[in-house]
Amino acid sequence: MEERLQKYMARCGVASRRKCEELITNGKVKVNGENITELGTKINADIDKVYVNETLIKPEKSKVYIMLNKPEGYVTTNKDEKGRKTILDIVNVNERIYPIGRLDYDSSGLLLLTNDGEIYNRIIHPRVNVDKTYIALVKGKFSKEELLKFQTGVNIGDYTTSEAKIKVIKEYANSSMVEIIIHEGKNRQIRRMCSALGHEVVSLKRVSIGKIKLNHLKKGEWRNLSLEELKYLNSL
């Protein structure tokens, strides 16, 4: 049975399908010894041999679905050119896993990792619009006008955000704790939204992705997803 090359690569746990497409177009993939750079290429997994960076790949025997409470000071990649610590310094499994989405270096909280390309695409695809909930400590206090602006869309330079939700949890003398819910995933989006309204983020933690919640998982700890959580992801 034929399938698209990038889909097969994702099924083998190489990376997300989008990253696999980049590997193909960058000339890092061979099929039966021939360099492939066309994204429309299809292969027969029972016959064809696929190599990524000269290494033969095969489908993972077992699928892995992991929840991590990412600490600050780790990058959400498998390798870092600057030599910083990555999430794979925390999560050590035999399978080649990759993160579903990102959390920036200075942020903490819920991060999902897998070697299942289909689950990755279910969550990442724009049509799904999975809500992501964050708790942020920001400088200053939001006015009613600023809260409304945050909810209806903020110009963050190159982009105007979609509707979002924000709720003030607690106000301090010079700062505020807020709950923020967005379904987009632009680079450093919440930090840029708050900054555009004059409120620098002091700390940021993601506490849920859809119905999957971080709950009491401690910072730096990880666990496998439950059957109920996996069932939810498959329903997206």
Side-chain angles (χ1 to χ4, degrees):
M1 180 178 175
E2 288 192 337
E3 62 182 313
R4 288 188 179 274
L5 178 56
Q6 58 266 38
K7 182 178 179 180
Y8 174 75
M9 290 168 61
R11 189 158 64 84
C12 291
V14 172
S16 67
R17 197 181 300 184
R18 184 173 60 183
K19 181 63 178 178
C20 289
E21 290 175 350
E22 292 178 11
L23 289 169
I24 294 170
T25 56
N26 289 336
K28 304 294 185 180
V29 181
K30 291 182 179 180
V31 177
N32 301 326
E34 179 184 351
N35 258 103
I36 302 296
T37 57
E38 295 293 329
L39 294 180
T41 302
K42 291 186 176 182
I43 62 111
N44 185 327
D46 296 326
I47 301 172
D48 296 318
K49 295 187 182 299
V50 179
Y51 296 81
V52 178
N53 291 321
E54 305 299 333
T55 300
L56 178 67
I57 62 171
K58 295 180 180 180
E60 295 279 5
K61 292 182 179 180
S62 60
K63 298 298 183 184
V64 179
Y65 310 91
I66 289 170
M67 170 195 295
L68 166 68
N69 185 345
K70 178 187 119 38
E72 298 90 343
Y74 286 79
V75 290
T76 312
T77 55
N78 292 4
K79 293 181 180 179
D80 183 59
E81 296 176 354
K82 299 179 181 178
R84 295 173 295 180
K85 292 181 290 187
T86 78
I87 49 174
L88 293 190
D89 289 317
I90 304 174
V91 183
N92 186 12
V93 294
N94 293 327
E95 293 81 6
R96 290 185 298 179
I97 55 174
Y98 44 91
I100 304 177
R102 297 199 173 204
L103 277 176
D104 66 56
Y105 183 78
D106 298 319
S107 297
S108 66
L110 176 59
L111 186 69
L112 300 179
L113 303 100
T114 188
N115 59 353
D116 187 336
E118 294 306 310
I119 286 291
Y120 177 97
N121 286 306
R122 285 178 184 274
I123 300 174
I124 290 296
H125 201 287
R127 66 171 173 76
V128 178
N129 285 342
V130 177
D131 283 340
K132 304 171 186 70
T133 304
Y134 299 78
I135 301 297
L137 178 65
V138 304
K139 294 181 179 179
K141 300 177 182 180
F142 284 92
S143 67
K144 290 183 179 179
E145 291 76 14
E146 288 171 338
L147 290 173
L148 180 61
K149 184 66 177 175
F150 195 100
Q151 293 166 351
T152 55
V154 179
N155 187 327
I156 56 175
D158 57 347
Y159 182 80
T160 299
T161 61
S162 297
E163 291 183 1
K165 296 178 183 178
I166 183 170
K167 178 174 70 175
V168 177
I169 299 173
K170 191 172 183 178
E171 290 186 335
Y172 305 97
N174 300 304
S175 59
S176 305
M177 186 76 71
V178 294
E179 178 189 80
I180 295 170
I181 302 175
I182 62 173
H183 61 261
E184 299 172 291
K186 298 295 181 182
N187 185 39
R188 300 176 69 84
Q189 180 174 332
I190 288 179
R191 293 180 184 275
R192 293 165 69 190
M193 291 174 74
C194 291
S195 180
L197 296 175
H199 301 283
E200 297 298 324
V201 171
V202 178
S203 65
L204 183 64
K205 177 182 181 180
R206 183 159 64 201
V207 296
S208 70
I209 298 174
K211 294 181 180 179
I212 297 181
K213 301 182 185 300
L214 188 62
N215 289 329
H216 303 297
L217 192 68
K218 294 179 181 179
K219 195 177 293 186
E221 291 185 345
W222 62 274
R223 66 168 176 83
N224 293 307
L225 293 185
S226 68
L227 291 177
E228 280 300 312
E229 289 166 336
L230 189 53
K231 182 178 179 181
Y232 164 69
L233 292 181
N234 278 302
S235 72
L236 296 175

